[in-house]
């Protein structure tokens, strides 16, 4: 009789857990994966996918206006039906959820639709009370929105609920200045809401290059998004007319219809039984792992947001793949975290890879910066006074590109291709040697001064 019920038991069927389980099963392991909410995890159910579809929906607000300059008759008042978009987005989420379930099942991984908690180095307890054993356990429980502990915080929502609203709020206050806050600010603004974004400091998108994020701030303010800086939440109260009165430091109270907390995401380890299994975690609750995603308990591993390394879907997927190949596929490899591209799907979007200007200046002896500050052709004809900015950061010693950052239409699409060149260690000269593809926005990449 086998010593354990499974070779691998995965807790959490999100980006990392699904990839690890599917690959482990395809390598011949006996795999079970437990999910307490919906297979697909944050990215598919309440993250990247529904968010990007809302971003597409929001972009039509500008495109419809601009269309007039391109000869199209568009009525002054275009109706937008939030519920239709929301329901279509949810249909697509359901479709991807089914595809994920099928993929797991087709590869022989057993899906257990229950919450699971660790009870020992090789044991997991399910919500139904059943206990199962596994030779290896993978923690892939992701992260969860952090909500500040202020009076009335329960009156606010997080990104989890934003996808299910009955209507677009007329006035929304978004707390936070990271990518989720700025993306939802753009989405709700384009859908006609009066958006106020409040932040404890006066910096938005801290990890991004200062010129690129300043450009987004400038454009967002020009569009009518209201920013309140050095504002710390004091509390939320429901008023007699059913609205929300928000008080904060350094600013007057504001009345809104909805408060969205986008104040960071914390590793989802509460009540997971880490202590029972002897798994070490840090002060933020993130599971501590080595470069093989192994915890201090030899039978237990962790991948994805729960480890708080880089909270991005493609990173969680790579960690899951590397874990499964290493343990079950006789193909040991580790994830390379250098030059991972990322984007903010704001209006306009921004994207970057590698070091920012200030990081490069701190790290390298000498740095050379090249830029292109331009108005996209389409924006010129549409009388849209919005400029794109591309910025290349090179090692002054050898010309090697160490960072590439951009804001402008389609920036994430363009940056994904350019990130290959940065990852490959190309120099500015290689870009100079490449003939421009005209007329395009991407040609600015090879024309930077
Ligand atoms: P998750 O995908 O979060 O999966 C964890 C799963 O574990 C969940 O399904 C959860 O229900 C389940 N679970 C938790 N505890 C238990 C338990 N005890 N028992 C059973 N199941 C459990 N990343 C990008 O790369 N690009 C983007 O554009 C992007 N946009 C985002 C937008 C939003 C609004 C949010 C919130 C996130 C976004 N992300 C984006 C981040 C991305 O979604 C995460 O990095 C990614 O989903 C992490 O994958 P994971 O496998 O670690 O965890």
């Amino acid at each position: 009789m086998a010593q354990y019920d499974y070779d691998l038991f995965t807790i959490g069927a999100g980006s990392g857990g699904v990839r690890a389980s599917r690959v482990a099963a395809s390598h011949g392991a006996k795999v079970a994966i437990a999910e307490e909410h919906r297979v697909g995890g944050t990215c598919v159910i309440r993250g990247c996918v529904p968010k990007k579809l809302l971003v597409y929906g929001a972009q039509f607000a500008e495109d419809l206006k601009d269309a007039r300059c391109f000869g199209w008759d568009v009525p002054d008042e275009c109706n937008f039906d939030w519920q239709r978009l929301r329901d279509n987005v949810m249909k697509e989420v359901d479709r991807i959820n089914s595809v994920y379930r099928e993929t797991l099942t087709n590869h022989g991984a057993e899906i257990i639709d229950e919450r699971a908690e660790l009870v020992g180095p090789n044991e997991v307890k399910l919500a139904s009370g059943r206990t199962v054993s596994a030779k290896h356990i993978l923690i892939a429980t992701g992260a969860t929105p952090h909500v500040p502990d202020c009076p009335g915080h329960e009156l606010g929502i997080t990104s989890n609920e934003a996808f299910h609203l009955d209507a677009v709020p007329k006035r929304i206050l978004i707390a936070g200045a990271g990518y989720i806050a700025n993306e939802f600010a753009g989405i709700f603004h384009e859908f006609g809401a009066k958006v106020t974004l409040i932040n404890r400091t006066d910096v938005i998108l801290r990890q991004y290059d200062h010129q690129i994020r300043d450009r987004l701030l400038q454009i967002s303010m020009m569009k009518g998004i209201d920013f309140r800086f050095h504002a710390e939440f004091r509390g939320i109260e429901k008023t007699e007319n059913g609205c929300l009165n928000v008080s904060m430091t350094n600013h007057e109270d504001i009345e809104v219809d909805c408060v969205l907390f986008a104040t960071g995401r914390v590793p989802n380890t509460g009540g997971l039984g880490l202590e029972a299994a002897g798994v070490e975690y840090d002060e933020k609750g993130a599971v501590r792992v080595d470069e093989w995603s192994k915890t201090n308990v030899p039978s237990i591993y962790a991948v994805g947001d729960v480890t708080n390394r880089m909270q991005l879907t493609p990173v969680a997927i790579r960690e899951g793949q590397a874990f499964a190949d290493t343990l079950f596929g006789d193909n040991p490899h580790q994830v390379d975290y250098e030059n991972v591209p990322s984007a903010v799907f704001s209006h306009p979007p921004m994207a970057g890879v590698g070091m920012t200007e200030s990081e490069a200046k701190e790290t390298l002896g000498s740095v050379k910066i090249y830029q292109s500050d331009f108005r996209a052709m389409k924006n010129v004809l549409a009388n849209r006074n919005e400029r794109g900015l591309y910025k290349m950061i090179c090692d002054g010693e050898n010309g090697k590109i160490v960072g590439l950052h951009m804001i402008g239409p389609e920036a994430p699409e363009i940056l994904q291709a350019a990130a290959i060149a940065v990852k490959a260690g190309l120099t500015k000269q290689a870009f100079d040697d490449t003939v421009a593809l005209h007329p395009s926005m991407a040609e600015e990449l090879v024309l930077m001064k």
Side-chain angles (χ1 to χ4, degrees):
M1 210 176 95
Q3 196 186 348
Y4 299 106
D5 298 327
Y6 299 99
D7 299 318
L8 172 66
F9 192 98
T10 302
I11 309 180
S15 308
V18 167
R19 174 58 69 95
S21 302
R22 169 171 76 69
V23 174
S26 72
H27 288 315
K30 187 178 180 203
V31 180
I33 179 165
E35 172 55 53
E36 67 175 346
H37 182 54
R38 294 187 70 188
V39 170
T42 304
C43 174
V44 172
I45 309 295
R46 44 199 184 186
C48 332
V49 170
K51 180 268 309 273
K52 185 74 188 279
L53 292 171
L54 292 187
V55 169
Y56 279 131
Q59 185 58 38
F60 280 99
E62 294 188 359
D63 290 346
L64 283 166
K65 267 189 212 135
D66 295 354
R68 295 187 193 115
C69 296
F70 289 85
W72 292 91
D73 286 330
V74 179
D76 286 344
E77 284 290 314
C78 290
N79 288 333
F80 167 65
D81 185 342
W82 160 258
Q83 294 191 349
R84 193 180 339 145
L85 173 62
R86 179 199 65 190
D87 295 349
N88 284 342
V89 169
M90 284 308 131
K91 263 186 230 153
E92 177 58 7
V93 166
D94 291 347
R95 188 189 68 78
I96 306 178
N97 165 254
S98 309
V99 172
Y100 268 59
R101 294 188 74 92
E102 262 168 48
T103 309
L104 283 168
T105 317
N106 291 346
H107 282 83
E110 181 189 343
I111 302 171
I112 300 175
D113 289 295
E114 285 182 54
R115 181 175 167 82
E117 289 171 15
L118 297 163
V119 284
N122 298 95
E123 245 185 350
V124 166
K125 192 172 179 191
L126 300 171
S128 56
R130 184 159 68 102
T131 301
V132 296
S133 64
K135 186 167 183 202
H136 300 284
I137 296 171
L138 179 67
I139 304 171
T141 51
T144 190
H146 163 76
V147 173
D149 186 20
C150 66
H153 64 80
E154 68 287 350
L155 296 167
I157 62 166
T158 69
S159 57
N160 288 350
E161 292 77 40
F163 298 109
H164 302 283
L165 292 172
D166 288 334
V168 173
K170 285 203 171 61
R171 300 160 302 172
I172 183 166
L173 181 140
I174 300 177
Y179 78 96
I180 295 178
N182 280 282
E183 289 176 342
F184 275 108
I187 290 169
F188 284 119
H189 170 77
E190 299 294 340
F191 289 152
K194 171 71 198 147
V195 178
T196 305
L197 193 145
I198 74 163
N199 188 33
R200 274 185 309 178
T201 69
D202 59 359
V203 178
I204 64 165
L205 298 162
R206 217 169 352 111
Q207 299 89 337
Y208 283 82
D209 190 87
H210 68 281
Q211 272 178 291
I212 305 290
R213 63 184 194 223
D214 284 354
R215 180 64 55 92
L216 177 66
L217 180 61
Q218 178 215 330
I219 295 174
S220 301
M221 287 168 78
M222 214 168 62
K223 284 183 200 275
I225 297 175
D226 193 14
F227 288 81
R228 290 188 176 192
F229 292 128
H230 301 294
E232 204 145 345
F233 247 89
R234 278 218 185 102
I236 314 175
E237 271 175 13
K238 201 163 204 150
T239 62
E240 275 174 12
N241 55 5
C243 301
L244 301 174
N245 185 72
V246 183
S247 52
M248 65 200 84
T249 56
N250 297 320
H251 295 268
E252 285 183 356
D253 288 9
I254 181 172
E255 190 181 274
V256 291
D257 307 295
C258 180
V259 172
L260 168 62
F261 288 108
T263 34
R265 293 179 58 79
V266 287
N268 201 355
T269 48
L272 191 61
L274 295 180
E275 291 86 357
V279 175
E280 282 176 7
Y281 52 94
D282 69 14
E283 60 290 344
K284 289 189 176 142
V287 177
R288 283 191 210 275
V289 287
D290 66 11
E291 59 277 20
W292 300 100
S293 295
K294 193 183 208 166
T295 71
N296 60 308
V297 178
S299 56
I300 302 182
Y301 290 70
V303 294
D305 285 4
V306 75
T307 62
N308 205 16
R309 286 176 280 188
M310 258 183 207
Q311 294 197 348
L312 290 171
T313 287
V315 174
I317 290 174
R318 283 200 171 218
E319 288 170 357
Q321 177 87 40
F323 156 80
D325 284 344
T326 301
L327 224 67
F328 303 102
D330 198 20
N331 173 20
H333 60 100
Q334 295 176 353
V335 177
D336 175 1
Y337 295 93
E338 208 179 327
N339 288 326
V340 173
S342 66
V344 180
F345 292 92
S346 41
H347 286 82
M350 45 189 268
V353 62
M355 289 188 240
T356 62
E357 180 180 339
S358 44
E359 282 167 351
K361 282 181 172 160
E362 269 170 35
T363 318
L364 306 169
S366 83
V367 172
K368 272 198 169 164
I369 313 284
Y370 303 90
Q371 286 186 15
S372 176
D373 190 334
F374 64 98
R375 189 140 82 112
M377 211 179 185
K378 193 170 163 231
N379 283 348
V380 177
L381 198 82
N383 291 324
R384 186 169 285 285
N385 191 18
E386 236 178 82
R387 296 184 72 80
L389 178 65
Y390 291 2
K391 190 167 169 185
M392 184 183 276
I393 294 144
C394 297
D395 186 332
E397 294 286 305
N398 52 25
K400 197 174 140 186
I401 306 164
V402 295
L404 193 55
H405 307 275
M406 47 176 70
I407 179 167
E410 309 298 347
E413 303 293 339
I414 297 166
L415 187 100
Q416 173 67 87
I420 301 168
V422 179
K423 182 75 187 158
L426 297 193
T427 58
K428 167 79 165 71
Q429 190 60 48
F431 275 59
D432 291 345
D433 292 345
T434 306
V435 175
L437 190 159
H438 185 71
S440 67
M441 284 178 290
E443 70 181 312
E444 299 297 333
L445 277 176
V446 298
L447 301 171
M448 281 197 228
K449 299 275 182 307

